[in-house]
Amino acid sequence: MLSKEENEMLCRTAPGTPMGELFRRFWLPVALSRELPKPDCAPVRLRILYEDLIAFRDTNGKVGLLARYCPHRGASLFFGRNEGGGLRCVYHGWKFDVTGACVDMPNEPAECSFKHKIHQIAYPTCEAGGVIWAYMGPQASMPEMPRLEWTLVPQSHVYAHKRFQHCNYLQNLEGEVDSSHVSFLHREFRPEKFNAAIAGQTLLASAKDSAPKFLVEDTEYGLAIGARRNWDGEQYYWRLTQFLMPSFTLIPSEAGSPINFTAAVPLDDTTMVGFTVTWLPDRALNEDDIRTIETWTGAYAEVDPNTFEPVANRQNDYLLNREKQRNENFTGMRGIREEDIAIQEDQYGPIADRTKEHLGSSDAGVIALRRRLLKSVRDLQAGREPPELHCGATDRVHPTASLAHREISFEEVTRSAIPAV
């Protein structure tokens, strides 16, 4: 378990908090590119790390990310006119470009130089993999964009999705690195149904060992977390989850199957936005791949297309069906992501009190994650910037789910998850 002080340090992400400052050192996914479908389209409200923001795509197609409220008298720029290379406040006409510069102030005399003294808070953005990314930290520390494989392959190879989740980001992140819960929370009584729900999990559906042994390796990008299950007299079944700082994971899947990336980004301490991305390195996703994703029984939750709030939610008990729980699966819920959300949104409440936990050997991945985050926070407090910012290996990192002879070591399993150039 964590001390109260440690739990607070990891969970609090407002400006000026230790974890908030750590998040601000990384490029973070903040929206889907399709939310801003064309130049001069309607702006979008965002909230990231306790900051209320407006995203807009200007006339040239560049995405701007500005503080939401006009610095004149606080009108919301959500109502602004997106025109002529900037976002114009409808209250008095002040106009800002994607850098936050005030480029027009029509309610002041033409000869007035006041506009040159005004600058709206603005954050750098870039687009990759169908996702809009933002950097909200010190300009002097801004790293290059992470070279994740799914941001480098053709867009036809990628499916990107987002949802809102009403809990602290860490509850979701810990669930992603906890490979023991899949034998229970996501158990289907008919394995063939599990296979249809999420590609690349044939072995998991047939695994009998529900008490995996965990092995963890520190890496330059985060952690490699192995869950080793007994399979037969000669083989182990390995599930290797990759954790990438500060809150990204790659979910285990079998060779040749689509790969899933997840990100947990805090909006504030009790709400997060979750991004899930599926990709294939060497071919486009086909109709069957998309159809599997959009059954909403696997790694994706069905959401309202306008609000991105999950259809299965706390208000409707996550569509829990007790008859289904008796006869079809362990939870009576529809899908893997929806099961995760149901548990994560109420772990001692929206912010888990980790001082009350009783951890076992199956929590080794969760413990390693917490230690890595605490070390990173304390290093930053001591003036040491996160080394992961300049790591170049993430473009080739894969997770894995495979059988291996019992003589093959964990180190060999982790090396095999990084494809040769």
Side-chain angles (χ1 to χ4, degrees):
M1 68 181 184
L2 292 179
S3 68
K4 182 177 180 180
E5 178 187 18
E6 290 171 330
N7 197 48
E8 288 287 301
M9 183 178 286
L10 291 183
C11 292
R12 304 299 179 182
T13 58
T17 62
M19 195 67 205
E21 291 307 303
L22 182 66
F23 265 108
R24 285 169 174 79
R25 291 308 199 274
F26 291 84
W27 283 92
L28 301 174
V30 296
L32 300 174
S33 292
R34 64 176 178 267
E35 293 181 71
L36 298 174
K38 61 182 180 180
D40 291 334
C41 63
V44 173
R45 296 185 187 97
L46 297 177
R47 181 172 170 83
I48 302 292
L49 297 173
Y50 271 89
E51 297 191 39
D52 293 319
L53 305 167
I54 290 291
F56 71 102
R57 191 181 297 279
D58 74 5
T59 307
N60 299 314
K62 174 66 177 174
V63 174
L65 188 63
L66 306 179
R68 184 178 301 177
Y69 301 106
C70 179
H72 179 210
R73 288 175 55 194
S76 174
L77 292 174
F78 172 74
F79 302 108
R81 297 175 59 87
N82 190 2
E83 59 185 19
L87 190 61
R88 188 184 297 278
C89 180
V90 295
Y91 201 10
H92 296 93
W94 290 20
K95 182 178 176 181
F96 303 92
D97 67 14
V98 295
T99 71
C102 185
V103 296
D104 192 22
M105 194 176 283
N107 70 327
E108 294 290 328
E111 64 275 13
C112 177
S113 62
F114 186 35
K115 72 177 182 182
H116 302 300
K117 301 176 183 179
I118 299 297
H119 199 280
Q120 180 70 323
I121 293 172
Y123 293 113
T125 67
C126 64
E127 291 186 81
V131 172
I132 297 168
W133 299 72
Y135 175 75
M136 299 173 66
Q139 292 300 299
S141 303
M142 185 169 68
E144 293 183 0
M145 255 287 295
R147 289 176 54 82
L148 301 165
E149 186 177 63
W150 59 269
T151 69
L152 304 174
V153 300
Q155 193 57 45
S156 60
H157 295 216
V158 180
Y159 182 102
H161 181 273
K162 88 172 194 181
R163 70 186 185 280
F164 291 119
Q165 198 166 316
H166 297 277
C167 64
N168 187 262
Y169 83 94
L170 191 56
Q171 276 140 255
N172 172 249
L173 180 57
E174 289 179 343
E176 298 299 323
V177 303
D178 170 16
S179 206
S180 71
H181 82 271
V182 298
S183 297
F184 301 95
L185 186 66
H186 306 319
R187 182 186 299 173
E188 292 286 341
F189 298 154
R190 292 175 293 172
E192 69 277 6
K193 185 177 179 186
F194 192 92
N195 295 341
I198 181 168
Q201 305 298 334
T202 303
L203 294 171
L204 179 61
S206 302
K208 301 295 190 292
D209 184 358
S210 61
K213 177 179 175 59
F214 278 82
L215 298 99
V216 182
E217 180 180 291
D218 273 292
T219 68
E220 58 182 325
Y221 49 82
L223 298 168
I225 302 171
R228 191 188 74 191
R229 288 172 167 84
N230 292 308
W231 186 261
D232 57 27
E234 295 185 352
Q235 298 179 103
Y236 289 126
Y237 169 44
W238 284 96
R239 291 178 61 80
L240 181 69
T241 301
Q242 303 281 9
F243 162 65
L244 288 66
M245 285 285 291
S247 58
F248 309 151
T249 55
L250 302 179
I251 301 172
S253 61
E254 293 158 23
S257 300
I259 306 168
N260 290 311
F261 163 94
T262 73
V265 181
L267 308 188
D268 49 45
D269 292 344
T270 59
T271 318
M272 54 157 278
V273 57
F275 290 87
T276 307
V277 180
T278 295
W279 83 98
L280 282 162
D282 48 15
R283 72 165 173 85
L285 293 167
N286 58 37
E287 290 184 4
D288 286 341
D289 297 321
I290 304 300
R291 192 177 300 114
T292 296
I293 289 170
E294 294 182 351
T295 61
W296 315 119
T297 51
Y300 291 80
E302 183 180 9
V303 300
D304 181 298
N306 297 311
T307 66
F308 297 99
E309 291 286 350
V311 171
N313 54 61
R314 184 177 299 168
Q315 284 66 43
N316 56 32
D317 291 327
Y318 306 95
L319 302 179
L320 171 62
N321 183 315
R322 294 295 184 183
E323 186 65 23
K324 182 175 182 177
Q325 188 176 32
R326 279 188 288 272
N327 299 304
E328 296 184 31
N329 68 14
F330 208 66
T331 64
M333 299 176 198
R334 173 172 55 172
I336 290 171
R337 179 62 66 193
E338 293 171 349
E339 291 165 336
D340 285 336
I341 293 172
I343 295 303
Q344 293 162 11
E345 287 192 337
D346 194 11
Q347 282 182 268
Y348 296 120
I351 304 179
D353 182 354
R354 293 172 178 80
T355 67
K356 297 179 178 179
E357 295 176 329
H358 297 81
L359 303 183
S361 61
S362 64
D363 299 302
V366 171
I367 293 168
L369 168 72
R370 294 174 184 177
R371 288 175 176 167
R372 182 66 178 248
L373 291 176
L374 284 169
K375 181 180 186 304
S376 297
V377 166
R378 288 165 177 156
D379 283 349
L380 185 59
Q381 287 180 306
R384 295 185 290 272
E385 294 289 325
E388 300 89 357
L389 297 174
H390 309 291
C391 166
T394 53
D395 59 337
R396 293 189 298 115
V397 173
H398 283 185
T400 188
S402 63
L403 299 178
H405 194 277
R406 286 176 176 248
E407 293 182 357
I408 293 177
S409 67
F410 175 53
E411 290 73 19
E412 291 176 282
V413 172
T414 59
R415 283 198 297 274
S416 69
I418 300 180
V421 176

